[in-house]
């Protein structure tokens, strides 16, 4: 984190100290907290939405390694030129979101964003594709959202390459296993698995690695087949992990504190989501000041009401005692009572 703080100071010609930059980053995190800043869409909602997710491994200052999770939602891709596409209306959520409570908060934020931007019934009316590497925390998405799961192409191709160890290339160097997998020819994949793993010349280490990759492909064949759906627009998860996360938190040898990393990633999210940080920062500060004023006023009203209630109760007590005395005196003056 110190690298980016020093870079910010250099851009300001060292007028601002590194400590000031660090304190400001942490203050922004405290002001924004985990609020989802949504710009509502005034156009017709899309028929298909795409959610893509992955994680980056980050080193903390205590020597431990943690996930930094990234989810981004978009409406598909538009092509700029022959070799380049860009996301349509992307929205990114980045954070540690550790444990089951963190996963719940993450998917609640995703569903909240979709409802706020596209309407309350968007989760039921819009078809949603969720692309990932089928990791454990990513699989929890289907527990919270009704999605069509897809295994991203990068991990499919990687598993095919690792399964055969860079070998088994026919037809001008093409990986035939990869072709069978993307074509959905699972019978051929199963047959080739049996033949390849029965090779007595392969060392045990190579067999274990190949078996793991074949099982990964066959276990996720349903999610791989969804790649061929006509309304599926592809994925770019790994490239966005590299550009949006790894370029900031793990591409250089650095360690982070959780507070510092979350603060920097919040700034990254605002930039990706095209949120004016200064405008939102001043707006949130004004809201917080107004909230504090209301709380302070409520305390004064409650205190005054408590004092009034105290005196009113005392008056009622005195009045009731006086009424009781008056009744008693009248009874003493009554001859019937005296005779008794």
């Amino acid at each position: 984190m110190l690298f980016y703080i020093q870079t910010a100071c250099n851009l300001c010609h060292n007028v601002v100290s590194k400590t000031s930059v660090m304190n400001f980053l942490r203050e922004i995190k405290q002001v924004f907290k985990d609020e989802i800043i949504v710009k509502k869409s005034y156009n017709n909602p899309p028929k298909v939405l795409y959610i893509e997710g992955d994680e980056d491994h980050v080193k903390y200052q205590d020597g431990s390694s943690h996930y930094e999770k990234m989810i981004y939602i978009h409406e598909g891709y538009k092509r700029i030129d022959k070799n380049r596409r860009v996301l349509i209306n992307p929205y990114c959520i980045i954070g540690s979101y550790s444990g089951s409570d963190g996963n719940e908060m993450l998917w609640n934020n995703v569903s909240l964003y979709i409802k706020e931007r596209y309407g309350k019934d968007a989760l039921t009316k819009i078809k949603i594709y969720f692309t990932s590497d089928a990791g454990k925390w990513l699989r929890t998405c289907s527990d919270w959202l009704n999605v069509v799961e897809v295994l991203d192409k990068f991990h499919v191709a990687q598993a095919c390459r690792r399964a055969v160890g860079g070998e088994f290339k026919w037809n001008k160097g093409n990986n035939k296993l990869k072709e069978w997998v993307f074509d959905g020819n699972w019978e051929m994949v199963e047959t080739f698995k049996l033949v390849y793993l029965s090779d007595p010349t392969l060392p045990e280490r190579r067999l274990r690695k190949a078996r793991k990759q074949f099982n990964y492909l066959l276990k996720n064949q349903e999610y791989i087949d969804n790649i061929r759906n006509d309304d599926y627009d592809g994925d770019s998860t790994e490239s966005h992990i590299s550009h949006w996360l790894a370029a900031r938190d793990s591409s250089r040898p650095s360690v982070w504190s959780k507070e510092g990393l979350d603060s920097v990633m919040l700034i990254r999210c605002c930039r990706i989501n095209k949120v004016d940080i200064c405008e939102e920062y001043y707006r949130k500060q004004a809201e917080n000041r107004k909230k504090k004023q209301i709380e302070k006023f409520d305390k004064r009203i409650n205190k005054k009401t408590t004092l009034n209630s105290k005196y009113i109760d005392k008056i009622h007590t005195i009045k009731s005692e006086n009424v009781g005395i008056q009744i008693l005196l009248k009874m003493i003056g009554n001859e019937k009572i005296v005779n008794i």
Side-chain angles (χ1 to χ4, degrees), residues 321-338:
E321 288 178 354
N322 291 339
V323 171
I325 292 171
Q326 292 173 7
I327 294 173
L328 181 62
L329 291 173
K330 285 181 181 180
M331 290 176 66
I332 292 173
N334 192 333
E335 293 180 0
K336 292 182 180 179
I337 297 296
V338 172

Side-chain angles (χ1 to χ4, degrees), residues 156-157 160 175-186 189 214 217-218 221 224-225 228:
V156 176
C160 293
N175 188 320
K176 293 299 294 183
L177 176 61
K178 179 180 172 182
E179 290 182 11
W180 294 331
V181 168
F182 279 115
D183 290 341
N185 192 350
W186 296 107
V189 174
F214 276 115
L217 292 169
L218 293 169
Q221 59 180 283
I224 297 172
D225 288 340
R228 299 194 304 276

Side-chain angles (χ1 to χ4, degrees), residues 188-332:
M188 197 65 191
V189 174
E190 287 272 13
T191 303
F192 177 70
K193 174 189 173 183
L194 295 175
V195 173
Y196 186 81
L197 296 181
S198 61
D199 187 350
T201 62
L202 291 178
E204 183 62 30
R205 183 177 179 183
R206 172 92 279 280
L207 284 172
R208 286 199 304 269
K209 188 173 183 179
R211 189 178 293 109
K212 180 180 178 181
Q213 300 304 321
F214 276 115
N215 291 339
Y216 177 75
L217 292 169
L218 293 169
K219 181 181 178 182
N220 295 295
Q221 59 180 283
E222 177 186 350
Y223 309 127
I224 297 172
D225 288 340
N226 289 333
I227 294 174
R228 299 194 304 276
N229 290 358
D230 294 335
D231 54 357
Y232 182 68
D233 213 6
D235 67 88
S236 55
T237 314
E238 288 299 318
S239 58
H240 283 100
I241 281 286
S242 298
H243 290 290
W244 288 352
L245 252 68
R248 289 294 178 266
D249 57 27
S250 64
S251 63
R252 297 171 180 83
S254 58
V255 293
W256 298 83
S257 67
K258 184 179 183 303
E259 186 178 7
L261 181 61
D262 287 345
S263 301
V264 171
M265 287 299 109
L266 173 65
I267 300 295
R268 287 293 295 163
C269 276
C270 290
R271 185 179 175 185
I272 294 165
N273 299 337
K274 298 180 180 178
V275 172
D276 190 325
I277 300 173
C278 290
E279 180 183 342
E280 291 297 328
Y281 176 71
Y282 293 137
R283 181 183 67 82
K284 285 294 295 180
Q285 276 192 325
E287 286 182 1
N288 291 339
R289 284 196 299 268
K290 186 176 180 180
K291 186 178 179 180
K292 288 180 180 179
Q293 289 175 354
I294 292 173
E295 290 176 354
K296 187 176 180 181
F297 181 74
D298 287 343
K299 286 181 180 179
R300 290 171 60 188
I301 293 296
N302 291 335
K303 185 176 180 181
K304 189 173 181 180
T305 304
T306 304
L307 290 173
N308 289 341
S309 300
K310 180 180 177 182
Y311 292 127
I312 290 170
D313 292 342
K314 189 71 175 175
I315 292 169
H316 279 302
T317 303
I318 295 171
K319 184 177 179 182
S320 62
E321 288 178 354
N322 291 339
V323 171
I325 292 171
Q326 292 173 7
I327 294 173
L328 181 62
L329 291 173
K330 285 181 181 180
M331 290 176 66
I332 292 173

Side-chain angles (χ1 to χ4, degrees), residues 74-81 84-90 233 236 240:
H74 61 94
E75 299 173 14
Y77 298 86
K78 63 180 179 181
R79 188 167 292 281
I80 294 180
D81 53 41
R84 188 163 179 259
R85 302 186 305 170
V86 295
L87 300 176
I88 301 174
N89 296 327
D233 213 6
S236 55
H240 283 100

